[in-house]
Amino acid sequence: MDLALLDATLGELGQPGFRAGQVWRWTATGAPGYAAMTDVPAGVRAALGERVPFSTLAVAAEAHARDGTVKALFRTGDGRPVEAVLMRYRSGRRSVCVSSQSGCPLTCTFCATGTMRFARNLTASEILDQVLHFRRIEPVDHLVFMGMGEPGFNMDAVLGAAARVPEIGITHRRTTVSTVGWLPGIERLAASDLPLRLAFSLHAPDDALRSRIMPVNDRYPIAAVLDACAAYHAQRRRRVFIEYVMLAGVNDAYPQALQLAQLLDPRIYKVNLIPYNPTGAYDGSSRGAIDAFKAVLEEHGLRATVRLTRGRDIDAACGQLAAKATAAAG
Ligand code: SAH
């Protein structure tokens, strides 16, 4: 829902100031449409139905994985593809993964999103509407900005959306913004007063390798980004997540684990090792290699977890969002 358009329209309809909040509360708690908002006058509901689309996104396709993961493909009003994912865990956790852009201008060699055409930044309302889509299916409690795009390029909209998610049931502390290490984005995040969690997609322990697999590293090398992450930690007092995708024979050897352990202060960072989701370019590390890598980090006092892979059979896992259904549809 375009919240600015909602405000303007209610103003034109001569509605009292509290009306926008009333409509938003219904929306944020999973109402399926204006018709359900029983304490909003019927005439106002009808006018809104004509003038303010209930969502800025139209659902183009939905896929369900065997593990309960749901992936939605949306179209923006101007026809741009956007994907978002709902991950369901046995613990009861319901985590939504949203996109901040349609496509991505970066060219990380292991990620499928970079292979589709980059369209544009999403608005805060378009980001919120991804969350609301899943909220209409069931209550959700975690949010990650790990879908298509680089949040650092679109921090105003990311923060605009993040500011409203507590009303949907997701606290700031359960909201994670993942970045490739785009410094201006991290600085903008630090300047906001929202206590969001920061994740840095590192993926290599040295600049030469990182530049090879993530060309953006030439712009903002590892040391500079880690300085910004440490500053964020000093301010927020919450561990920063390091994302590390495990690529066989590329970044998963013993010396690289040692190098990573030496690079990261255990008081500041926690490492998430991500099993590689096939996108064609690499082979994923074996389970044994991942466990050995994790053990080295732990011997050096770092907390490390191996990320559960969700939704791989529907191309909904990390790095697999490329709006394939769109390509097939022409
Ligand atoms: N641009 C942001 C957020 C999107 S990607 C960022 O880079 O952080 C979310 C995470 O999935 C990132 O850590 C990304 O590097 C990782 N990822 C990308 N491709 C992957 C793949 N094929 N397998 C596993 N993880 C991948």
Side-chain angles (χ1 to χ4, degrees):
M1 180 180 297
D2 181 335
L3 296 172
L5 178 63
L6 175 71
D7 276 343
T9 307
L10 289 171
E12 283 164 24
L13 293 170
Q15 287 298 300
F18 64 81
R19 195 70 78 205
Q22 211 176 10
V23 171
W24 167 249
R25 264 190 307 283
W26 278 103
T27 309
T29 50
Y34 294 116
M37 303 179 182
T38 45
D39 54 1
V40 176
V44 175
R45 284 186 260 155
L48 290 178
E50 277 165 27
R51 295 169 59 175
V52 184
F54 190 61
S55 176
T56 58
L57 303 174
V59 181
E62 203 167 71
H64 294 255
R66 281 188 292 274
D67 61 18
T69 302
V70 184
K71 177 170 82 168
L73 168 66
F74 306 97
R75 294 238 170 228
T76 61
D78 59 347
R80 308 303 192 171
V82 176
E83 286 182 323
V85 180
L86 170 67
M87 289 161 289
R88 297 173 164 135
Y89 296 91
R90 248 180 252 150
S91 61
R93 175 193 284 224
R94 296 290 178 267
S95 189
V96 178
C97 173
V98 291
S99 296
S100 55
Q101 302 182 304
S102 172
C104 184
L106 294 173
T107 52
C108 303
T109 53
F110 41 80
C111 180
T113 304
T115 63
M116 65 178 277
R117 194 188 321 168
F118 173 64
R120 63 167 171 82
N121 279 342
L122 299 180
T123 65
S125 295
E126 287 166 338
I127 295 171
L128 277 176
D129 275 326
Q130 298 169 57
V131 185
L132 289 170
H133 171 76
F134 294 116
R135 176 63 188 84
R136 289 192 278 276
I137 300 177
E138 65 195 24
V140 290
D141 50 26
H142 285 74
L143 176 63
V144 294
F145 284 84
M146 295 190 186
M148 293 177 170
E150 166 51 34
F153 293 148
N154 191 19
M155 203 46 88
D156 285 338
V158 165
L159 291 170
R164 318 259 348 205
V165 298
E167 295 147 21
I168 306 177
I170 305 168
T171 63
H172 292 318
R173 291 174 175 281
R174 291 175 167 187
T175 300
T176 301
V177 177
S178 179
T179 176
V180 80
W182 194 256
L183 268 191
I186 299 175
E187 286 161 4
R188 177 83 184 75
L189 187 65
S192 91
D193 54 5
L194 304 184
L196 307 176
R197 200 184 271 275
L198 173 64
F200 169 35
S201 295
L202 179 58
H203 304 320
D206 66 86
D207 281 314
L209 175 60
R210 191 163 191 268
S211 287
R212 186 151 70 74
I213 64 176
M214 301 176 75
V216 67
N217 190 69
D218 288 337
R219 181 79 178 263
Y220 296 116
I222 295 173
V225 181
L226 288 180
D227 281 349
C229 290
Y232 191 80
H233 174 267
Q235 201 184 335
R236 296 280 197 276
R237 292 280 143 208
R238 301 202 65 214
R239 276 214 182 68
V240 174
F241 289 143
I242 295 292
E243 312 286 301
Y244 197 97
V245 62
M246 298 295 293
L247 307 172
V250 176
N251 67 356
D252 67 345
Y254 176 74
Q256 291 166 316
L258 272 183
Q259 221 179 335
L260 186 64
Q262 276 147 16
L263 190 63
L264 301 175
D265 182 336
R267 290 166 301 184
I268 302 181
Y269 300 103
K270 174 176 178 259
V271 181
N272 287 322
L273 300 174
I274 315 177
Y276 171 64
N277 297 304
T279 57
Y282 296 95
D283 291 320
S285 307
S286 67
R287 185 67 210 206
I290 297 176
D291 288 343
F293 199 94
K294 176 172 179 262
V296 175
L297 299 180
E298 286 173 341
E299 278 159 24
H300 288 77
L302 274 163
R303 283 176 60 196
T305 57
V306 180
R307 166 101 51 84
L308 278 178
T309 298
R310 313 297 294 180
R312 226 187 236 179
D313 55 324
I314 55 167
D315 284 347
C318 303
Q320 292 188 311
L321 300 184
K324 260 196 222 153
T326 331

